[in-house]
Amino acid sequence: MTPSLGELVAWLGRWSAGRGPMYLLLAARVRQLIDEGLLPPGAALPPDRRLAGALSVGRTTVVAAYETLRQEGRLVRRQGSGTRVAPAALTPPGEPRVTETSNPMFLHLLEPVDDVLLLSCAAPPSPPPALAEAYARLVLPADDLGYHPAGLPALRTAVAGRYARRGLPTGPEQILVTTGAQQAIGLLTRLLVAPGDGVLVEAPTYPGALDLFREAAAVPHPVAVGPDGLDVDAAIRVMERHRPALAYVIPRFQNPTGTVLPPLLGRRLVEAAEAYGVPLIDDEVLSELRLDGPETWAGAGAGPETWAGAGAGAGAGGCEGPPPLSAYGTGVVAIGSLSKSVWGGLRIGWVRGPAPLIARLARLKALHDLGSDVPAQLVAARLLGDFDPIVRSRVAELRAGHDLLRAELARLLPSWDCPPAAGGQTLWVRLPYGDGVSFAQLALRHGVAVLPGSTMDALGGSARMLRLHFLLPHDTLVAAVRRLAAAWAEYAPSPEAEAAVRPAALNAITV
């Protein structure tokens, strides 16, 4: 397998976040990829200049790294045929039998490096006091085998009750408890998608979902996201023409753009999915994290549409606004999680859908883990009993971080386009020039990890975009922006670009 330039850069990951000459750090990471079998014998590597540009290093760094590996016998370099992994390289035979993630969002967690500030993985930095209190009051059941593939009955009932209070009558049999939303997406993908099947996705979208669709050998059908969220007209054309195996969308506080799909467009999307027999997956993980003030939700050119269920016990938690897609059709499958509103370490997610689908998913989940952690489910059920104060507290923290990050970016990086987010945990930032992948490499060497937009876009777009989260402590956010500004000053490829950064900001930089 010969990787594309983008795949190789993703596999290289945090190669430069170490000590020693840059060419040796690069050679060490390529050597590791060869020894692990990700770069098999005969795989072609990018030309020196192309790889150097993607990594934001000088060409001599790549040449020296390649030469080091050539001398070790791991690479072969010939005029006219480029650079390839040597046939006799010390690597397991054949290609890897399983798909491994090359997503930088996950690699930053798998390969932690000291003194690197993570603006790449958006999750609460610490658990709320309510979580520790719930664990302190935990009482395990006396007579319980502990295996609940579909989920602990008490938690299924609590999640169903949460939907009912939002105006969506739901029974426990419609809820499957999962080990986080990532497992929920994974189970739905395994159940509904066969190799070669089409999957409708937003462009850009949550990169963890794209990883799962790639693992399933699905064919993505990306549809662009604009100021009003998904381009519903384009999505309907995709469903009509390709009949994808599923459609995965994030209509409320879309990850990463933060857009919200107006109600009338949401209704059209659901009606089209039902008409064409396309299972519609509504990712609601961020849906309660509303940051802006009172809302008026209007569907493209139409008057505002209100939803009676929005105020029925959910408003205090931040759920005001357009209804979930499940309000428009019985076939919509919703995904939820406590990882963003409570803590990523509480690995509790769920799927809400038709009872027959939930029963099939439970049988599939039983093959993998026989059920999620019971103590965590007991704690989650207790938290959901008085959930609105937890959400209000989390939203207040997010608003403060959002405003601080935007203010610091405006002060030190005024040439970056950084619109406010209506909700969620991230800003979708446009660079004035260059591309996010190469800048992320340079930013990493300045001690801050960011997520390039192209890693979230199956259309191949979003090259000049970055996703930055604002969940770190305030002093850490300030330090992170200073490091970004230092990296940006070094990245500037032209005098005109350099002039876009205020000299005063550069004087204030301390890494």
Side-chain angles (χ1 to χ4, degrees), residues 388-420:
D388 291 341
I390 296 174
V391 176
R392 283 199 300 267
S393 176
R394 180 63 72 195
V395 167
E397 295 172 355
L398 288 171
R399 284 193 183 112
H402 168 275
D403 294 346
L404 175 64
L405 180 56
R406 290 194 70 238
E408 287 299 297
L409 289 171
R411 184 172 70 90
L412 294 180
L413 291 161
S415 64
W416 288 18
D417 182 19
C418 180

Side-chain angles (χ1 to χ4, degrees), residues 29-96:
R29 180 57 178 155
V30 175
R31 182 186 302 115
Q32 183 181 7
L33 296 177
I34 294 173
D35 292 346
E36 291 177 350
L38 281 173
L39 291 175
L45 296 181
D48 312 337
R49 293 186 188 278
R50 288 193 67 208
L51 184 57
L55 298 179
S56 289
V57 298
R59 177 172 174 258
T60 55
T61 297
V62 177
V63 171
Y66 280 174
E67 179 61 19
T68 298
L69 296 172
R70 187 197 66 79
Q71 293 177 5
E72 295 176 2
R74 284 180 165 83
L75 295 184
V76 175
R77 286 166 63 79
R78 293 191 179 92
Q79 186 71 30
S81 60
T83 302
R84 294 183 177 273
V85 178
L90 303 176
T91 179
E95 299 181 10

Side-chain angles (χ1 to χ4, degrees), residues 295-320:
E295 303 158 313
T296 300
W297 302 99
E305 177 175 323
T306 59
W307 181 45
C319 281
E320 305 96 327

Side-chain angles (χ1 to χ4, degrees), residues 111-125:
E111 303 170 359
V113 177
D114 292 341
D115 198 35
V116 173
L117 306 180
L118 295 182
L119 291 182
S120 51
C121 186

Side-chain angles (χ1 to χ4, degrees), residues 105-106 109 120-128 180-182 185 206-208 248 250 253 255 283-291 335-350 387 390-398 423-426 467 469-471:
M105 182 179 68
F106 295 143
L109 300 176
S120 51
C121 186
S126 59
Q182 186 73 11
I185 303 171
Y206 168 57
Y248 169 78
I250 311 173
F253 311 136
N255 182 2
D283 188 333
E284 296 187 300
V285 170
L286 299 172
S287 64
E288 294 188 284
L289 303 181
R290 182 174 68 88
L291 301 180
I335 292 172
S337 169
L338 297 181
S339 64
K340 308 305 182 185
S341 53
V342 181
W343 185 47
L346 184 62
R347 304 302 304 142
I348 295 296
W350 56 82
F387 197 52
I390 296 174
V391 176
R392 283 199 300 267
S393 176
R394 180 63 72 195
V395 167
E397 295 172 355
L398 288 171
Q425 304 179 119
T426 60
R467 195 194 76 172
H469 76 75
F470 38 82
L471 294 111

